[in-house]
Amino acid sequence: MRSQLLGGESSVEQFDVVVVGAGLAGLQATRLLARRGVRALLVDRKQSLAESVHTTGIFVRRTLEDFDLPESCLGRPVRHVTLYSPSRRTLALHSTRDEFRVGRMGRLYEHYLGECLRAGAEWSPSTRYAGLEDDGARGSIIRVERGGLMRQVRARFVMGGDGARSRVARDLGLDANSEWIVGVEDVYEGVPLEGEPRFHCFLDPRIAPGYLAWVVHDGEETHLGVGGYAARFDALKALESFRASVAGLFDFSRARKIERRGGRIPVGGVLKRIANERGLLLGDAAGAVSPLTAGGLDPCMRLSSLAAEVAADYLTNDDATALARYSGERFRARFVSRLWMRRVLRATSHAALVETACALMRLPPFNAVAWHVFFGRGSFPDVGLETAPHSSTTAPQPSV
């Protein structure tokens, strides 16, 4: 793609949509927009989408059934979850169906980027979003910097898929996330697997305050991580301490570390104001993450698919009422119970209380609740897409 310096009117390239951020949300929205003939520019700070992946990449059954995730980008199916109390008492949960698969996210991002390009989208890697200004009825002037050169483009619409602390949200005057946890994990190859692929989830506020620690082992890769409220723990120290504490359960002696991942995870629920006539927010920027489990991939795929449909309709018909479908207030009511449970988790800082809760989960009525949290299909409400999310026509964590 040719670069443009800031300059006069003749140097401003025109697009229908500029998408900022080529994570899963930005890629999903861009490929669906391009399939509908929308001229889209996708920009991201990274040169390669396979580098600096932030998410563990856990896809739930509902997502796997509803979206076109390529088999080559997925690990082995997982049906088993083991919960560990602070004293390491266990609760084993099992499903008769394939409930989870861990995405090979760098590979998936590159696959979706290829689909974006084949559908006609333009791609600008190693590009920093530098801000935007209102251009009246014509949309916005977006400033981006690449290789030390500043470029400006005009777009009728802007989509912010730039993470939990979105600059696009600020510049569009939309809502911003105010509550998040931080997570960090190491990804390994060569960890022996005993038994079936399994998620091991450790509930212990001394290690992971307000969230959990995990070992996700699908027989090919092993993810070892911790998450919690940043003000209450040092994530890197907690990760090292956690790895040492599970050395008797998992053999890392011959493991090879592939990469380290980390980042902020918004847990305040979908934001209320996530769209206006100049643009909208995607994925983490929109708060599209389960407040309870911090799982964001299913909400990401569903909300990004809706965003593409809404934006295409808005641009085609020049009718702002189309944007009413993309309102966070439509979805927040579905998360009231999870928001309250998030407040309980945030306030729980004593291991004894968590130990008691884990003991209750081993009793039949509460065991069913635990099973539903991990294996239920309520990750994110249906958003009323008029076409199937996986449609290829030209007419579009829970991650635990």
Side-chain angles (χ1 to χ4, degrees), residues 3 19-20 63 81 101-102 110 119 166 206 209 233 263 278 298 308 333 335 355 399:
S3 292
V19 181
V20 180
T63 318
V81 173
R101 298 186 75 172
V102 181
E110 295 287 1
S166 170
R206 298 167 299 187
F233 83 140
R278 294 171 61 204
D298 187 72
F335 292 101
E355 191 71 42
S399 245

PDB file of all heavy atoms in Angstrom, residues 3 19-20 63 81 101-102 110 119 166 206 209 233 263 278 298 308 333 335 355 399:
ATOM      1  N   SER A   3       2.215   4.875   0.851  1.00  0.00           N
ATOM      2  CA  SER A   3       2.117   5.778   1.987  1.00  0.00           C
ATOM      3  C   SER A   3       1.828   7.181   1.488  1.00  0.00           C
ATOM      4  O   SER A   3       2.180   7.556   0.370  1.00  0.00           O
ATOM      5  CB  SER A   3       3.419   5.777   2.796  1.00  0.00           C
ATOM      6  OG  SER A   3       3.597   4.545   3.430  1.00  0.00           O
ATOM      7  N   VAL A  19     -10.532   0.394  10.098  1.00  0.00           N
ATOM      8  CA  VAL A  19     -10.577  -0.457  11.282  1.00  0.00           C
ATOM      9  C   VAL A  19      -9.223  -0.370  11.969  1.00  0.00           C
ATOM     10  O   VAL A  19      -8.190  -0.694  11.365  1.00  0.00           O
ATOM     11  CB  VAL A  19     -10.897  -1.919  10.910  1.00  0.00           C
ATOM     12  CG1 VAL A  19     -10.961  -2.787  12.175  1.00  0.00           C
ATOM     13  CG2 VAL A  19     -12.215  -2.003  10.137  1.00  0.00           C
ATOM     14  N   VAL A  20      -9.227   0.042  13.229  1.00  0.00           N
ATOM     15  CA  VAL A  20      -7.989   0.206  13.999  1.00  0.00           C
ATOM     16  C   VAL A  20      -7.836  -1.000  14.920  1.00  0.00           C
ATOM     17  O   VAL A  20      -8.631  -1.205  15.836  1.00  0.00           O
ATOM     18  CB  VAL A  20      -8.013   1.506  14.825  1.00  0.00           C
ATOM     19  CG1 VAL A  20      -6.716   1.651  15.623  1.00  0.00           C
ATOM     20  CG2 VAL A  20      -8.210   2.717  13.910  1.00  0.00           C
ATOM     21  N   THR A  63     -19.323 -21.111  19.927  1.00  0.00           N
ATOM     22  CA  THR A  63     -18.576 -20.397  18.896  1.00  0.00           C
ATOM     23  C   THR A  63     -18.127 -21.351  17.796  1.00  0.00           C
ATOM     24  O   THR A  63     -18.196 -21.036  16.603  1.00  0.00           O
ATOM     25  CB  THR A  63     -17.340 -19.718  19.508  1.00  0.00           C
ATOM     26  OG1 THR A  63     -17.683 -19.117  20.754  1.00  0.00           O
ATOM     27  CG2 THR A  63     -16.779 -18.669  18.575  1.00  0.00           C
ATOM     28  N   VAL A  81     -12.788 -30.469  32.824  1.00  0.00           N
ATOM     29  CA  VAL A  81     -12.316 -29.336  33.628  1.00  0.00           C
ATOM     30  C   VAL A  81     -12.125 -29.823  35.054  1.00  0.00           C
ATOM     31  O   VAL A  81     -12.981 -30.539  35.594  1.00  0.00           O
ATOM     32  CB  VAL A  81     -13.325 -28.168  33.610  1.00  0.00           C
ATOM     33  CG1 VAL A  81     -12.887 -27.071  34.587  1.00  0.00           C
ATOM     34  CG2 VAL A  81     -13.474 -27.596  32.206  1.00  0.00           C
ATOM     35  N   ARG A 101     -11.935 -25.680  22.459  1.00  0.00           N
ATOM     36  CA  ARG A 101     -10.715 -25.907  21.693  1.00  0.00           C
ATOM     37  C   ARG A 101      -9.860 -24.655  21.824  1.00  0.00           C
ATOM     38  O   ARG A 101     -10.383 -23.525  21.805  1.00  0.00           O
ATOM     39  CB  ARG A 101     -11.017 -26.217  20.226  1.00  0.00           C
ATOM     40  CG  ARG A 101     -11.843 -27.493  20.077  1.00  0.00           C
ATOM     41  CD  ARG A 101     -12.042 -27.897  18.637  1.00  0.00           C
ATOM     42  NE  ARG A 101     -10.823 -28.472  18.067  1.00  0.00           N
ATOM     43  CZ  ARG A 101     -10.802 -29.046  16.858  1.00  0.00           C
ATOM     44  NH1 ARG A 101     -11.904 -29.104  16.120  1.00  0.00           N
ATOM     45  NH2 ARG A 101      -9.679 -29.561  16.392  1.00  0.00           N
ATOM     46  N   VAL A 102      -8.558 -24.859  21.958  1.00  0.00           N
ATOM     47  CA  VAL A 102      -7.643 -23.736  22.100  1.00  0.00           C
ATOM     48  C   VAL A 102      -7.155 -23.342  20.711  1.00  0.00           C
ATOM     49  O   VAL A 102      -6.568 -24.149  19.983  1.00  0.00           O
ATOM     50  CB  VAL A 102      -6.452 -24.102  23.003  1.00  0.00           C
ATOM     51  CG1 VAL A 102      -5.527 -22.905  23.159  1.00  0.00           C
ATOM     52  CG2 VAL A 102      -6.951 -24.570  24.372  1.00  0.00           C
ATOM     53  N   GLU A 110      -3.507 -14.820  10.883  1.00  0.00           N
ATOM     54  CA  GLU A 110      -2.958 -14.769   9.527  1.00  0.00           C
ATOM     55  C   GLU A 110      -3.964 -15.323   8.510  1.00  0.00           C
ATOM     56  O   GLU A 110      -4.076 -14.811   7.385  1.00  0.00           O
ATOM     57  CB  GLU A 110      -1.644 -15.558   9.464  1.00  0.00           C
ATOM     58  CG  GLU A 110      -0.515 -14.968  10.306  1.00  0.00           C
ATOM     59  CD  GLU A 110       0.070 -13.697   9.706  1.00  0.00           C
ATOM     60  OE1 GLU A 110      -0.413 -13.252   8.636  1.00  0.00           O
ATOM     61  OE2 GLU A 110       1.017 -13.138  10.296  1.00  0.00           O
ATOM     62  N   ALA A 119     -10.795 -10.541  -0.124  1.00  0.00           N
ATOM     63  CA  ALA A 119     -12.098  -9.897  -0.291  1.00  0.00           C
ATOM     64  C   ALA A 119     -11.963  -8.437  -0.716  1.00  0.00           C
ATOM     65  O   ALA A 119     -12.976  -7.797  -1.021  1.00  0.00           O
ATOM     66  CB  ALA A 119     -12.901  -9.992   1.000  1.00  0.00           C
ATOM     67  N   SER A 166      -8.957   1.828  24.809  1.00  0.00           N
ATOM     68  CA  SER A 166      -9.084   2.262  23.429  1.00  0.00           C
ATOM     69  C   SER A 166      -8.925   3.774  23.261  1.00  0.00           C
ATOM     70  O   SER A 166      -9.649   4.561  23.875  1.00  0.00           O
ATOM     71  CB  SER A 166     -10.452   1.835  22.887  1.00  0.00           C
ATOM     72  OG  SER A 166     -10.722   2.418  21.640  1.00  0.00           O
ATOM     73  N   ARG A 206      -4.905 -15.833  46.989  1.00  0.00           N
ATOM     74  CA  ARG A 206      -3.515 -15.536  47.339  1.00  0.00           C
ATOM     75  C   ARG A 206      -2.630 -15.536  46.098  1.00  0.00           C
ATOM     76  O   ARG A 206      -1.601 -14.850  46.064  1.00  0.00           O
ATOM     77  CB  ARG A 206      -3.003 -16.562  48.355  1.00  0.00           C
ATOM     78  CG  ARG A 206      -3.766 -16.554  49.674  1.00  0.00           C
ATOM     79  CD  ARG A 206      -3.438 -17.784  50.512  1.00  0.00           C
ATOM     80  NE  ARG A 206      -3.803 -19.021  49.811  1.00  0.00           N
ATOM     81  CZ  ARG A 206      -3.747 -20.228  50.373  1.00  0.00           C
ATOM     82  NH1 ARG A 206      -3.353 -20.360  51.624  1.00  0.00           N
ATOM     83  NH2 ARG A 206      -4.101 -21.300  49.679  1.00  0.00           N
ATOM     84  N   PRO A 209      -5.917 -12.876  42.788  1.00  0.00           N
ATOM     85  CA  PRO A 209      -7.022 -12.177  43.459  1.00  0.00           C
ATOM     86  C   PRO A 209      -8.078 -11.666  42.482  1.00  0.00           C
ATOM     87  O   PRO A 209      -7.784 -10.900  41.573  1.00  0.00           O
ATOM     88  CB  PRO A 209      -6.309 -11.010  44.156  1.00  0.00           C
ATOM     89  CG  PRO A 209      -5.044 -10.813  43.381  1.00  0.00           C
ATOM     90  CD  PRO A 209      -4.644 -12.167  42.906  1.00  0.00           C
ATOM     91  N   PHE A 233      -1.857  -7.719  43.177  1.00  0.00           N
ATOM     92  CA  PHE A 233      -0.797  -8.714  43.011  1.00  0.00           C
ATOM     93  C   PHE A 233       0.158  -8.273  41.919  1.00  0.00           C
ATOM     94  O   PHE A 233      -0.157  -7.422  41.076  1.00  0.00           O
ATOM     95  CB  PHE A 233      -1.365 -10.095  42.752  1.00  0.00           C
ATOM     96  CG  PHE A 233      -1.742 -10.407  41.318  1.00  0.00           C
ATOM     97  CD1 PHE A 233      -1.480 -11.664  40.792  1.00  0.00           C
ATOM     98  CD2 PHE A 233      -2.373  -9.476  40.492  1.00  0.00           C
ATOM     99  CE1 PHE A 233      -1.825 -11.977  39.484  1.00  0.00           C
ATOM    100  CE2 PHE A 233      -2.727  -9.795  39.196  1.00  0.00           C
ATOM    101  CZ  PHE A 233      -2.444 -11.048  38.692  1.00  0.00           C
ATOM    102  N   GLY A 263      -1.849  -9.124  29.196  1.00  0.00           N
ATOM    103  CA  GLY A 263      -2.594  -7.924  28.862  1.00  0.00           C
ATOM    104  C   GLY A 263      -3.738  -7.673  29.820  1.00  0.00           C
ATOM    105  O   GLY A 263      -3.948  -8.402  30.788  1.00  0.00           O
ATOM    106  N   ARG A 278     -20.194   8.452  13.743  1.00  0.00           N
ATOM    107  CA  ARG A 278     -18.835   8.501  13.201  1.00  0.00           C
ATOM    108  C   ARG A 278     -18.098   7.178  13.332  1.00  0.00           C
ATOM    109  O   ARG A 278     -17.091   6.960  12.653  1.00  0.00           O
ATOM    110  CB  ARG A 278     -18.039   9.613  13.887  1.00  0.00           C
ATOM    111  CG  ARG A 278     -18.576  11.011  13.586  1.00  0.00           C
ATOM    112  CD  ARG A 278     -17.902  12.043  14.447  1.00  0.00           C
ATOM    113  NE  ARG A 278     -16.468  12.062  14.205  1.00  0.00           N
ATOM    114  CZ  ARG A 278     -15.576  12.498  15.100  1.00  0.00           C
ATOM    115  NH1 ARG A 278     -15.975  12.907  16.290  1.00  0.00           N
ATOM    116  NH2 ARG A 278     -14.295  12.509  14.802  1.00  0.00           N
ATOM    117  N   ASP A 298     -16.123 -15.500  22.246  1.00  0.00           N
ATOM    118  CA  ASP A 298     -17.478 -15.630  21.722  1.00  0.00           C
ATOM    119  C   ASP A 298     -18.152 -14.263  21.602  1.00  0.00           C
ATOM    120  O   ASP A 298     -18.692 -13.939  20.532  1.00  0.00           O
ATOM    121  CB  ASP A 298     -18.305 -16.576  22.595  1.00  0.00           C
ATOM    122  CG  ASP A 298     -19.666 -16.869  21.980  1.00  0.00           C
ATOM    123  OD1 ASP A 298     -19.707 -17.600  20.971  1.00  0.00           O
ATOM    124  OD2 ASP A 298     -20.670 -16.347  22.481  1.00  0.00           O
ATOM    125  N   ALA A 308     -20.245  -5.372  11.632  1.00  0.00           N
ATOM    126  CA  ALA A 308     -20.067  -5.327  10.181  1.00  0.00           C
ATOM    127  C   ALA A 308     -21.400  -5.151   9.473  1.00  0.00           C
ATOM    128  O   ALA A 308     -21.520  -4.372   8.517  1.00  0.00           O
ATOM    129  CB  ALA A 308     -19.365  -6.595   9.702  1.00  0.00           C
ATOM    130  N   ALA A 333     -28.413  -5.917  30.099  1.00  0.00           N
ATOM    131  CA  ALA A 333     -29.424  -6.531  30.972  1.00  0.00           C
ATOM    132  C   ALA A 333     -29.222  -8.027  31.095  1.00  0.00           C
ATOM    133  O   ALA A 333     -29.586  -8.637  32.108  1.00  0.00           O
ATOM    134  CB  ALA A 333     -30.820  -6.230  30.432  1.00  0.00           C
ATOM    135  N   PHE A 335     -26.483  -9.455  31.519  1.00  0.00           N
ATOM    136  CA  PHE A 335     -25.292  -9.727  32.310  1.00  0.00           C
ATOM    137  C   PHE A 335     -25.427  -9.291  33.774  1.00  0.00           C
ATOM    138  O   PHE A 335     -24.434  -9.237  34.487  1.00  0.00           O
ATOM    139  CB  PHE A 335     -24.079  -9.018  31.694  1.00  0.00           C
ATOM    140  CG  PHE A 335     -23.675  -9.578  30.362  1.00  0.00           C
ATOM    141  CD1 PHE A 335     -24.032  -8.929  29.200  1.00  0.00           C
ATOM    142  CD2 PHE A 335     -22.978 -10.765  30.269  1.00  0.00           C
ATOM    143  CE1 PHE A 335     -23.679  -9.443  27.965  1.00  0.00           C
ATOM    144  CE2 PHE A 335     -22.614 -11.290  29.043  1.00  0.00           C
ATOM    145  CZ  PHE A 335     -22.972 -10.626  27.892  1.00  0.00           C
ATOM    146  N   GLU A 355     -12.427 -21.477  49.904  1.00  0.00           N
ATOM    147  CA  GLU A 355     -12.431 -22.895  50.242  1.00  0.00           C
ATOM    148  C   GLU A 355     -13.848 -23.372  50.555  1.00  0.00           C
ATOM    149  O   GLU A 355     -14.277 -24.445  50.110  1.00  0.00           O
ATOM    150  CB  GLU A 355     -11.522 -23.146  51.441  1.00  0.00           C
ATOM    151  CG  GLU A 355     -11.237 -24.607  51.730  1.00  0.00           C
ATOM    152  CD  GLU A 355     -10.324 -25.250  50.690  1.00  0.00           C
ATOM    153  OE1 GLU A 355      -9.350 -24.615  50.271  1.00  0.00           O
ATOM    154  OE2 GLU A 355     -10.624 -26.390  50.283  1.00  0.00           O
ATOM    155  N   SER A 399     -13.838 -18.284  27.729  1.00  0.00           N
ATOM    156  CA  SER A 399     -12.433 -18.479  28.028  1.00  0.00           C
ATOM    157  C   SER A 399     -12.331 -18.471  29.536  1.00  0.00           C
ATOM    158  O   SER A 399     -12.728 -17.531  30.138  1.00  0.00           O
ATOM    159  CB  SER A 399     -11.698 -17.335  27.555  1.00  0.00           C
ATOM    160  OG  SER A 399     -10.909 -16.996  26.801  1.00  0.00           O
TER     161      SER A 399
END
